Amino acid sequence: MRLPERQLAVLEAASATDERTIDEIAAETGLKPETVTGAAFDLRDEGLLSVVETAAETLGLTDEGRRYVDDALPETRLYRAGLALDADEAAVSMGRVIGEAGLDGPEVDIALSNFARKGFGTIDSGELTVDPDADPDADPEAAALAALADGDDPAVDEAVLDQLDSRGLVDRGESVTRAVTLTDDGVDALMTAVETTETVSQVTPELLASGEWRDVEFSEYNVEADAPTTRGGRKHVLRRTADRVKDVLVGMGFQEMEGPHADSDFWINDCLFMPQDHPARTHWDRFALDVPPMEGIPDELMARVEAAHRDGWGEDGDGYHSPWSQEFAREVALRGHTTSLSMRYLSGIAGAELEPPQRYFSVEKVYRNDTLDPTHLLEFFQIEGWVMAEDLSVRDLMGTFEEFYRQFGITDIRFKPHYNPYTEPSFELFGEHPETGEEIEIGNSGVFREEVTGPLGVDCDVMAWGLALERLAMLTTGAEDIRDLHGTLADIEFLRDAEVSY
Ligand code: PHE
């Protein structure tokens, strides 16, 4: 059975002890006594409660009775006035005594009749005599009035009460006390009601509009309950790393380069003095695209690059003397490095002719026909960069990297001599993986050869590099497998939880 909330509250309060009065229940539940009474009768009608009524007499003073408590009963005042006028020795005129007593109106008759009744004295032919032995202070009627005024329950003689009642000085009434007790059905009903009370966890517009909210039980908040983890969107750790890289490089005075992902082989390889028969230029090693050749390579530049390949550049230069064709140079491939962008910018075709000093960078995607493994992806981001200035040394290169990696908390990079067809000297960079302790390659660098800078029209030093963004992220996040970071095998949990300090 589903009980209305008030009935349930009354039933519950009533169950606390064997017998409870309506007033006790009202005090406990905070409901008005009338409300509790109504609910108790409803419950009685349902057979869930028994209600025992006990009538008790109530006794209170009327206004007149209260006035006599303050001013003394009229007959007492008459007696005292009589005494004051020596009416115990001689009869004194009534008028004088009444005047002395300050009695007025109906009080005069009241005083006279009760004076005689109580034996305070005698009244004869308009003269009053007081009985010196009478004692109004011991008057039981006055004592009863005083006790009632004090709120005591006076153990008063019935006859005295009747007297006061007939004089209209007290109010006699009857009050009914109702004590309630649960019946066996009531106990059962309470148990099932407590068990089945539906709790509501949310106020809805319907509950409010229907007024039903008054009768439903709201569930309490459990602030210690387990809650599902809610995750908001977050920037991919690789994107965060890329953004930080850009900030750091811009902070170091670099400007950003941009350019095509699919580019002419000319920019990707020929400008870099990579012989056209170099193994890295076979279709096995790169993603070639079946698209028409790109235009826009300046003829003189093409001629100078071809000359460098065929015969070398500078006084001591000797070319490759290997096959070279403009058609091959114009073919389009997905760039395997972003050094193609460096070539475009150094040549001046990407903007104005550049005068030293200059610093440029990009953080862009490159594509390689590698074999996927824990440190290799087919697509990854390269942090390309170069500095054009007079008299650059290997110290400048190392100092630049040390400063750059320090921004990511990496202070132990190692340099190893290396070979690139386009730089001399060349260095590979290594960092120590924070989890495995293994050395992993994080970049490749060097100072561009004259065969590269010469045909581009640059006649000062250019130091340059390509660093792997994902490898940097492996060092900062502790990812042990590069495939966790991006691509189809990315580890979503890892990416959600990965913490980096930048
Ligand atoms: N292109 C090189 C690579 O992809 C990086 C590099 C750029 C090295 C410029 C030297 C100079 O590994």
mmCIF file of all heavy atoms in Angstrom, residues 350-391:
data_model
loop_
_atom_site.group_PDB
_atom_site.id
_atom_site.type_symbol
_atom_site.label_atom_id
_atom_site.label_comp_id
_atom_site.label_asym_id
_atom_site.label_seq_id
_atom_site.Cartn_x
_atom_site.Cartn_y
_atom_site.Cartn_z
ATOM 1 N N ALA A 350 59.973 30.879 -52.494
ATOM 2 C CA ALA A 350 58.846 30.918 -51.565
ATOM 3 C C ALA A 350 58.547 32.336 -51.108
ATOM 4 O O ALA A 350 57.550 32.600 -50.455
ATOM 5 C CB ALA A 350 59.133 30.033 -50.352
ATOM 6 N N GLY A 351 59.434 33.259 -51.425
ATOM 7 C CA GLY A 351 59.204 34.638 -50.994
ATOM 8 C C GLY A 351 60.339 35.489 -51.540
ATOM 9 O O GLY A 351 60.802 35.265 -52.646
ATOM 10 N N ALA A 352 60.761 36.434 -50.706
ATOM 11 C CA ALA A 352 61.831 37.331 -51.154
ATOM 12 C C ALA A 352 63.183 36.626 -51.062
ATOM 13 O O ALA A 352 63.329 35.614 -50.389
ATOM 14 C CB ALA A 352 61.836 38.583 -50.283
ATOM 15 N N GLU A 353 64.172 37.142 -51.792
ATOM 16 C CA GLU A 353 65.549 36.673 -51.640
ATOM 17 C C GLU A 353 65.942 36.920 -50.190
ATOM 18 O O GLU A 353 65.614 37.966 -49.616
ATOM 19 C CB GLU A 353 66.492 37.484 -52.550
ATOM 20 C CG GLU A 353 66.357 37.164 -54.033
ATOM 21 C CD GLU A 353 67.029 35.830 -54.406
ATOM 22 O OE1 GLU A 353 67.879 35.361 -53.624
ATOM 23 O OE2 GLU A 353 66.675 35.270 -55.460
ATOM 24 N N LEU A 354 66.606 35.961 -49.569
ATOM 25 C CA LEU A 354 66.914 36.106 -48.147
ATOM 26 C C LEU A 354 68.368 36.551 -47.941
ATOM 27 O O LEU A 354 69.276 36.016 -48.574
ATOM 28 C CB LEU A 354 66.669 34.782 -47.425
ATOM 29 C CG LEU A 354 65.240 34.249 -47.528
ATOM 30 C CD1 LEU A 354 65.130 32.863 -46.892
ATOM 31 C CD2 LEU A 354 64.259 35.203 -46.837
ATOM 32 N N GLU A 355 68.526 37.490 -47.059
ATOM 33 C CA GLU A 355 69.864 37.943 -46.672
ATOM 34 C C GLU A 355 70.141 37.431 -45.270
ATOM 35 O O GLU A 355 69.260 37.460 -44.420
ATOM 36 C CB GLU A 355 69.911 39.485 -46.644
ATOM 37 C CG GLU A 355 69.837 40.150 -48.015
ATOM 38 C CD GLU A 355 71.021 39.775 -48.908
ATOM 39 O OE1 GLU A 355 72.152 39.654 -48.389
ATOM 40 O OE2 GLU A 355 70.803 39.571 -50.122
ATOM 41 N N PRO A 356 71.352 36.952 -44.999
ATOM 42 C CA PRO A 356 71.644 36.471 -43.650
ATOM 43 C C PRO A 356 71.617 37.632 -42.648
ATOM 44 O O PRO A 356 71.893 38.767 -43.068
ATOM 45 C CB PRO A 356 73.057 35.893 -43.757
ATOM 46 C CG PRO A 356 73.655 36.550 -44.948
ATOM 47 C CD PRO A 356 72.523 36.869 -45.891
ATOM 48 N N PRO A 357 71.330 37.389 -41.373
ATOM 49 C CA PRO A 357 70.946 36.085 -40.794
ATOM 50 C C PRO A 357 69.452 35.802 -40.953
ATOM 51 O O PRO A 357 68.647 36.727 -40.939
ATOM 52 C CB PRO A 357 71.294 36.273 -39.314
ATOM 53 C CG PRO A 357 71.085 37.741 -39.051
ATOM 54 C CD PRO A 357 71.412 38.450 -40.342
ATOM 55 N N GLN A 358 69.140 34.522 -41.078
ATOM 56 C CA GLN A 358 67.739 34.089 -41.192
ATOM 57 C C GLN A 358 67.545 32.813 -40.387
ATOM 58 O O GLN A 358 68.454 31.987 -40.290
ATOM 59 C CB GLN A 358 67.385 33.777 -42.649
ATOM 60 C CG GLN A 358 67.478 34.951 -43.602
ATOM 61 C CD GLN A 358 66.355 35.968 -43.404
ATOM 62 O OE1 GLN A 358 65.342 35.664 -42.789
ATOM 63 N NE2 GLN A 358 66.547 37.173 -43.922
ATOM 64 N N ARG A 359 66.362 32.660 -39.862
ATOM 65 C CA ARG A 359 66.024 31.394 -39.157
ATOM 66 C C ARG A 359 64.616 30.997 -39.590
ATOM 67 O O ARG A 359 63.683 31.802 -39.512
ATOM 68 C CB ARG A 359 66.012 31.584 -37.639
ATOM 69 C CG ARG A 359 67.299 32.025 -37.022
ATOM 70 C CD ARG A 359 67.096 32.119 -35.507
ATOM 71 N NE ARG A 359 68.236 32.691 -34.843
ATOM 72 C CZ ARG A 359 68.404 34.000 -34.643
ATOM 73 N NH1 ARG A 359 67.501 34.867 -35.082
ATOM 74 N NH2 ARG A 359 69.471 34.445 -34.018
ATOM 75 N N TYR A 360 64.472 29.746 -40.039
ATOM 76 C CA TYR A 360 63.151 29.248 -40.465
ATOM 77 C C TYR A 360 62.879 27.869 -39.881
ATOM 78 O O TYR A 360 63.809 27.106 -39.603
ATOM 79 C CB TYR A 360 63.072 29.189 -41.993
ATOM 80 C CG TYR A 360 62.658 30.523 -42.596
ATOM 81 C CD1 TYR A 360 63.615 31.507 -42.869
ATOM 82 C CD2 TYR A 360 61.325 30.788 -42.861
ATOM 83 C CE1 TYR A 360 63.234 32.729 -43.394
ATOM 84 C CE2 TYR A 360 60.937 32.010 -43.387
ATOM 85 C CZ TYR A 360 61.892 32.989 -43.648
ATOM 86 O OH TYR A 360 61.509 34.187 -44.157
ATOM 87 N N PHE A 361 61.594 27.561 -39.740
ATOM 88 C CA PHE A 361 61.227 26.220 -39.231
ATOM 89 C C PHE A 361 59.880 25.810 -39.810
ATOM 90 O O PHE A 361 59.130 26.632 -40.348
ATOM 91 C CB PHE A 361 61.123 26.215 -37.698
ATOM 92 C CG PHE A 361 59.803 26.753 -37.201
ATOM 93 C CD1 PHE A 361 58.768 25.881 -36.859
ATOM 94 C CD2 PHE A 361 59.582 28.116 -37.098
ATOM 95 C CE1 PHE A 361 57.536 26.373 -36.410
ATOM 96 C CE2 PHE A 361 58.353 28.613 -36.654
ATOM 97 C CZ PHE A 361 57.329 27.743 -36.313
ATOM 98 N N SER A 362 59.596 24.521 -39.716
ATOM 99 C CA SER A 362 58.233 24.040 -39.971
ATOM 100 C C SER A 362 58.014 22.815 -39.090
ATOM 101 O O SER A 362 58.979 22.162 -38.672
ATOM 102 C CB SER A 362 58.026 23.673 -41.448
ATOM 103 O OG SER A 362 58.875 22.607 -41.811
ATOM 104 N N VAL A 363 56.743 22.553 -38.767
ATOM 105 C CA VAL A 363 56.391 21.309 -38.061
ATOM 106 C C VAL A 363 55.316 20.682 -38.930
ATOM 107 O O VAL A 363 54.139 21.017 -38.827
ATOM 108 C CB VAL A 363 55.872 21.585 -36.632
ATOM 109 C CG1 VAL A 363 55.601 20.264 -35.900
ATOM 110 C CG2 VAL A 363 56.862 22.424 -35.841
ATOM 111 N N GLU A 364 55.738 19.842 -39.836
ATOM 112 C CA GLU A 364 54.829 19.354 -40.881
ATOM 113 C C GLU A 364 54.995 17.856 -41.093
ATOM 114 O O GLU A 364 55.997 17.263 -40.731
ATOM 115 C CB GLU A 364 55.113 20.087 -42.198
ATOM 116 C CG GLU A 364 54.733 21.561 -42.191
ATOM 117 C CD GLU A 364 53.227 21.795 -42.203
ATOM 118 O OE1 GLU A 364 52.478 20.828 -42.492
ATOM 119 O OE2 GLU A 364 52.801 22.931 -41.922
ATOM 120 N N LYS A 365 53.992 17.302 -41.773
ATOM 121 C CA LYS A 365 53.971 15.864 -41.986
ATOM 122 C C LYS A 365 54.909 15.445 -43.135
ATOM 123 O O LYS A 365 55.007 16.148 -44.145
ATOM 124 C CB LYS A 365 52.566 15.444 -42.350
ATOM 125 C CG LYS A 365 52.247 14.099 -41.770
ATOM 126 C CD LYS A 365 50.792 13.955 -41.596
ATOM 127 C CE LYS A 365 50.438 12.889 -40.621
ATOM 128 N NZ LYS A 365 49.052 12.499 -40.859
ATOM 129 N N VAL A 366 55.521 14.289 -42.954
ATOM 130 C CA VAL A 366 56.323 13.689 -44.026
ATOM 131 C C VAL A 366 55.891 12.227 -44.188
ATOM 132 O O VAL A 366 55.242 11.672 -43.302
ATOM 133 C CB VAL A 366 57.840 13.789 -43.730
ATOM 134 C CG1 VAL A 366 58.266 15.237 -43.627
ATOM 135 C CG2 VAL A 366 58.210 13.018 -42.467
ATOM 136 N N TYR A 367 56.247 11.642 -45.337
ATOM 137 C CA TYR A 367 55.728 10.319 -45.695
ATOM 138 C C TYR A 367 56.870 9.426 -46.119
ATOM 139 O O TYR A 367 57.646 9.796 -47.014
ATOM 140 C CB TYR A 367 54.712 10.470 -46.837
ATOM 141 C CG TYR A 367 53.669 11.531 -46.534
ATOM 142 C CD1 TYR A 367 53.934 12.881 -46.804
ATOM 143 C CD2 TYR A 367 52.456 11.203 -45.949
ATOM 144 C CE1 TYR A 367 53.011 13.869 -46.503
ATOM 145 C CE2 TYR A 367 51.521 12.189 -45.643
ATOM 146 C CZ TYR A 367 51.802 13.522 -45.917
ATOM 147 O OH TYR A 367 50.883 14.497 -45.604
ATOM 148 N N ARG A 368 56.969 8.265 -45.487
ATOM 149 C CA ARG A 368 58.081 7.378 -45.843
ATOM 150 C C ARG A 368 57.612 5.941 -45.966
ATOM 151 O O ARG A 368 56.805 5.468 -45.169
ATOM 152 C CB ARG A 368 59.173 7.441 -44.769
ATOM 153 C CG ARG A 368 59.921 8.743 -44.829
ATOM 154 C CD ARG A 368 61.162 8.715 -43.986
ATOM 155 N NE ARG A 368 61.703 10.067 -43.926
ATOM 156 C CZ ARG A 368 62.700 10.446 -43.166
ATOM 157 N NH1 ARG A 368 63.294 9.556 -42.385
ATOM 158 N NH2 ARG A 368 63.109 11.688 -43.185
ATOM 159 N N ASN A 369 58.182 5.274 -46.937
ATOM 160 C CA ASN A 369 57.836 3.877 -47.126
ATOM 161 C C ASN A 369 58.688 3.014 -46.193
ATOM 162 O O ASN A 369 59.462 2.185 -46.632
ATOM 163 C CB ASN A 369 58.045 3.495 -48.589
ATOM 164 C CG ASN A 369 57.397 2.159 -48.920
ATOM 165 O OD1 ASN A 369 56.693 1.602 -48.078
ATOM 166 N ND2 ASN A 369 57.642 1.641 -50.093
ATOM 167 N N ASP A 370 58.504 3.219 -44.884
ATOM 168 C CA ASP A 370 59.263 2.475 -43.879
ATOM 169 C C ASP A 370 58.479 1.249 -43.442
ATOM 170 O O ASP A 370 57.338 1.055 -43.841
ATOM 171 C CB ASP A 370 59.489 3.368 -42.642
ATOM 172 C CG ASP A 370 60.786 4.148 -42.746
ATOM 173 O OD1 ASP A 370 61.736 3.640 -43.369
ATOM 174 O OD2 ASP A 370 60.828 5.279 -42.202
ATOM 175 N N THR A 371 59.085 0.448 -42.601
ATOM 176 C CA THR A 371 58.363 -0.673 -41.989
ATOM 177 C C THR A 371 57.940 -0.213 -40.597
ATOM 178 O O THR A 371 58.750 0.307 -39.828
ATOM 179 C CB THR A 371 59.296 -1.891 -41.875
ATOM 180 O OG1 THR A 371 59.764 -2.198 -43.187
ATOM 181 C CG2 THR A 371 58.553 -3.079 -41.291
ATOM 182 N N LEU A 372 56.636 -0.385 -40.331
ATOM 183 C CA LEU A 372 56.113 0.023 -39.015
ATOM 184 C C LEU A 372 56.805 -0.759 -37.911
ATOM 185 O O LEU A 372 56.901 -1.981 -37.982
ATOM 186 C CB LEU A 372 54.621 -0.292 -38.930
ATOM 187 C CG LEU A 372 53.618 0.738 -39.409
ATOM 188 C CD1 LEU A 372 52.224 0.163 -39.278
ATOM 189 C CD2 LEU A 372 53.750 2.019 -38.608
ATOM 190 N N ASP A 373 57.281 -0.080 -36.912
ATOM 191 C CA ASP A 373 57.815 -0.744 -35.717
ATOM 192 C C ASP A 373 57.710 0.247 -34.553
ATOM 193 O O ASP A 373 57.161 1.334 -34.739
ATOM 194 C CB ASP A 373 59.236 -1.268 -35.986
ATOM 195 C CG ASP A 373 60.270 -0.163 -36.140
ATOM 196 O OD1 ASP A 373 60.029 0.962 -35.655
ATOM 197 O OD2 ASP A 373 61.322 -0.439 -36.744
ATOM 198 N N PRO A 374 58.172 -0.108 -33.375
ATOM 199 C CA PRO A 374 57.943 0.781 -32.223
ATOM 200 C C PRO A 374 58.530 2.189 -32.378
ATOM 201 O O PRO A 374 58.153 3.093 -31.629
ATOM 202 C CB PRO A 374 58.601 0.033 -31.061
ATOM 203 C CG PRO A 374 58.509 -1.397 -31.449
ATOM 204 C CD PRO A 374 58.719 -1.416 -32.937
ATOM 205 N N THR A 375 59.451 2.370 -33.344
ATOM 206 C CA THR A 375 59.974 3.731 -33.504
ATOM 207 C C THR A 375 59.731 4.292 -34.908
ATOM 208 O O THR A 375 60.251 5.354 -35.249
ATOM 209 C CB THR A 375 61.496 3.788 -33.197
ATOM 210 O OG1 THR A 375 62.160 2.757 -33.940
ATOM 211 C CG2 THR A 375 61.763 3.595 -31.720
ATOM 212 N N HIS A 376 58.965 3.570 -35.737
ATOM 213 C CA HIS A 376 58.737 4.061 -37.108
ATOM 214 C C HIS A 376 57.265 4.066 -37.504
ATOM 215 O O HIS A 376 56.551 3.091 -37.302
ATOM 216 C CB HIS A 376 59.503 3.204 -38.128
ATOM 217 C CG HIS A 376 60.968 3.414 -38.057
ATOM 218 N ND1 HIS A 376 61.784 2.670 -37.231
ATOM 219 C CD2 HIS A 376 61.779 4.305 -38.688
ATOM 220 C CE1 HIS A 376 63.032 3.093 -37.356
ATOM 221 N NE2 HIS A 376 63.058 4.081 -38.237
ATOM 222 N N LEU A 377 56.858 5.191 -38.061
ATOM 223 C CA LEU A 377 55.520 5.322 -38.649
ATOM 224 C C LEU A 377 55.696 5.630 -40.126
ATOM 225 O O LEU A 377 56.776 6.057 -40.558
ATOM 226 C CB LEU A 377 54.775 6.488 -37.988
ATOM 227 C CG LEU A 377 54.370 6.312 -36.524
ATOM 228 C CD1 LEU A 377 53.987 7.659 -35.935
ATOM 229 C CD2 LEU A 377 53.212 5.325 -36.414
ATOM 230 N N LEU A 378 54.652 5.397 -40.903
ATOM 231 C CA LEU A 378 54.744 5.714 -42.335
ATOM 232 C C LEU A 378 54.517 7.204 -42.571
ATOM 233 O O LEU A 378 54.927 7.755 -43.586
ATOM 234 C CB LEU A 378 53.731 4.899 -43.142
ATOM 235 C CG LEU A 378 53.813 3.379 -42.984
ATOM 236 C CD1 LEU A 378 52.959 2.696 -44.047
ATOM 237 C CD2 LEU A 378 55.247 2.883 -43.072
ATOM 238 N N GLU A 379 53.793 7.811 -41.666
ATOM 239 C CA GLU A 379 53.581 9.264 -41.729
ATOM 240 C C GLU A 379 53.973 9.807 -40.381
ATOM 241 O O GLU A 379 53.529 9.275 -39.358
ATOM 242 C CB GLU A 379 52.099 9.584 -41.920
ATOM 243 C CG GLU A 379 51.530 9.145 -43.226
ATOM 244 C CD GLU A 379 50.060 9.537 -43.341
ATOM 245 O OE1 GLU A 379 49.588 10.361 -42.531
ATOM 246 O OE2 GLU A 379 49.404 9.017 -44.247
ATOM 247 N N PHE A 380 54.761 10.820 -40.360
ATOM 248 C CA PHE A 380 55.084 11.436 -39.072
ATOM 249 C C PHE A 380 55.374 12.916 -39.258
ATOM 250 O O PHE A 380 55.415 13.410 -40.390
ATOM 251 C CB PHE A 380 56.245 10.702 -38.382
ATOM 252 C CG PHE A 380 57.542 10.718 -39.140
ATOM 253 C CD1 PHE A 380 58.508 11.682 -38.864
ATOM 254 C CD2 PHE A 380 57.816 9.774 -40.114
ATOM 255 C CE1 PHE A 380 59.714 11.697 -39.563
ATOM 256 C CE2 PHE A 380 59.023 9.782 -40.810
ATOM 257 C CZ PHE A 380 59.974 10.750 -40.534
ATOM 258 N N PHE A 381 55.551 13.592 -38.157
ATOM 259 C CA PHE A 381 55.802 15.037 -38.223
ATOM 260 C C PHE A 381 57.294 15.311 -38.053
ATOM 261 O O PHE A 381 57.928 14.774 -37.151
ATOM 262 C CB PHE A 381 55.032 15.772 -37.128
ATOM 263 C CG PHE A 381 53.567 15.843 -37.400
ATOM 264 C CD1 PHE A 381 52.710 14.865 -36.924
ATOM 265 C CD2 PHE A 381 53.037 16.898 -38.154
ATOM 266 C CE1 PHE A 381 51.346 14.926 -37.182
ATOM 267 C CE2 PHE A 381 51.677 16.957 -38.408
ATOM 268 C CZ PHE A 381 50.830 15.972 -37.928
ATOM 269 N N GLN A 382 57.784 16.156 -38.946
ATOM 270 C CA GLN A 382 59.180 16.518 -38.845
ATOM 271 C C GLN A 382 59.289 17.971 -38.410
ATOM 272 O O GLN A 382 58.519 18.830 -38.854
ATOM 273 C CB GLN A 382 59.839 16.342 -40.220
ATOM 274 C CG GLN A 382 61.312 16.093 -40.118
ATOM 275 C CD GLN A 382 61.903 15.574 -41.420
ATOM 276 O OE1 GLN A 382 61.514 16.013 -42.500
ATOM 277 N NE2 GLN A 382 62.857 14.668 -41.314
ATOM 278 N N ILE A 383 60.208 18.194 -37.494
ATOM 279 C CA ILE A 383 60.489 19.576 -37.076
ATOM 280 C C ILE A 383 61.695 20.009 -37.903
ATOM 281 O O ILE A 383 62.836 19.658 -37.600
ATOM 282 C CB ILE A 383 60.829 19.648 -35.567
ATOM 283 C CG1 ILE A 383 59.729 18.995 -34.726
ATOM 284 C CG2 ILE A 383 61.069 21.098 -35.162
ATOM 285 C CD1 ILE A 383 60.154 18.703 -33.284
ATOM 286 N N GLU A 384 61.391 20.692 -38.975
ATOM 287 C CA GLU A 384 62.451 21.122 -39.885
ATOM 288 C C GLU A 384 62.958 22.484 -39.431
ATOM 289 O O GLU A 384 62.181 23.283 -38.867
ATOM 290 C CB GLU A 384 61.854 21.247 -41.302
ATOM 291 C CG GLU A 384 62.854 21.465 -42.407
ATOM 292 C CD GLU A 384 63.568 20.164 -42.797
ATOM 293 O OE1 GLU A 384 62.992 19.079 -42.563
ATOM 294 O OE2 GLU A 384 64.684 20.253 -43.321
ATOM 295 N N GLY A 385 64.224 22.747 -39.650
ATOM 296 C CA GLY A 385 64.682 24.094 -39.304
ATOM 297 C C GLY A 385 66.036 24.383 -39.924
ATOM 298 O O GLY A 385 66.773 23.455 -40.280
ATOM 299 N N TRP A 386 66.290 25.638 -40.111
ATOM 300 C CA TRP A 386 67.628 26.027 -40.576
ATOM 301 C C TRP A 386 67.954 27.456 -40.156
ATOM 302 O O TRP A 386 67.063 28.266 -39.910
ATOM 303 C CB TRP A 386 67.795 25.851 -42.082
ATOM 304 C CG TRP A 386 66.749 26.492 -42.966
ATOM 305 C CD1 TRP A 386 65.652 25.887 -43.481
ATOM 306 C CD2 TRP A 386 66.735 27.839 -43.449
ATOM 307 N NE1 TRP A 386 64.930 26.752 -44.258
ATOM 308 C CE2 TRP A 386 65.586 27.968 -44.267
ATOM 309 C CE3 TRP A 386 67.583 28.936 -43.299
ATOM 310 C CZ2 TRP A 386 65.248 29.152 -44.913
ATOM 311 C CZ3 TRP A 386 67.251 30.134 -43.945
ATOM 312 C CH2 TRP A 386 66.081 30.222 -44.740
ATOM 313 N N VAL A 387 69.273 27.666 -40.043
ATOM 314 C CA VAL A 387 69.761 28.997 -39.701
ATOM 315 C C VAL A 387 70.771 29.383 -40.779
ATOM 316 O O VAL A 387 71.693 28.627 -41.073
ATOM 317 C CB VAL A 387 70.468 29.011 -38.327
ATOM 318 C CG1 VAL A 387 71.065 30.394 -38.039
ATOM 319 C CG2 VAL A 387 69.489 28.602 -37.233
ATOM 320 N N MET A 388 70.556 30.530 -41.373
ATOM 321 C CA MET A 388 71.482 31.041 -42.397
ATOM 322 C C MET A 388 72.259 32.195 -41.759
ATOM 323 O O MET A 388 71.667 33.154 -41.258
ATOM 324 C CB MET A 388 70.665 31.546 -43.588
ATOM 325 C CG MET A 388 71.489 32.246 -44.647
ATOM 326 S SD MET A 388 70.435 33.413 -45.556
ATOM 327 C CE MET A 388 69.937 32.411 -46.904
ATOM 328 N N ALA A 389 73.599 32.045 -41.726
ATOM 329 C CA ALA A 389 74.429 33.106 -41.138
ATOM 330 C C ALA A 389 75.871 32.940 -41.611
ATOM 331 O O ALA A 389 76.234 31.899 -42.147
ATOM 332 C CB ALA A 389 74.368 33.042 -39.616
ATOM 333 N N GLU A 390 76.685 33.969 -41.383
ATOM 334 C CA GLU A 390 78.118 33.873 -41.734
ATOM 335 C C GLU A 390 78.794 33.022 -40.661
ATOM 336 O O GLU A 390 78.447 33.102 -39.482
ATOM 337 C CB GLU A 390 78.769 35.275 -41.725
ATOM 338 C CG GLU A 390 78.089 36.312 -42.604
ATOM 339 C CD GLU A 390 78.276 36.046 -44.113
ATOM 340 O OE1 GLU A 390 79.102 35.165 -44.473
ATOM 341 O OE2 GLU A 390 77.583 36.693 -44.913
ATOM 342 N N ASP A 391 79.728 32.216 -41.075
ATOM 343 C CA ASP A 391 80.608 31.479 -40.158
ATOM 344 C C ASP A 391 79.893 30.696 -39.056
ATOM 345 O O ASP A 391 80.075 30.973 -37.877
ATOM 346 C CB ASP A 391 81.602 32.450 -39.484
ATOM 347 C CG ASP A 391 82.484 33.114 -40.525
ATOM 348 O OD1 ASP A 391 82.843 32.432 -41.506
ATOM 349 O OD2 ASP A 391 82.775 34.309 -40.355
#
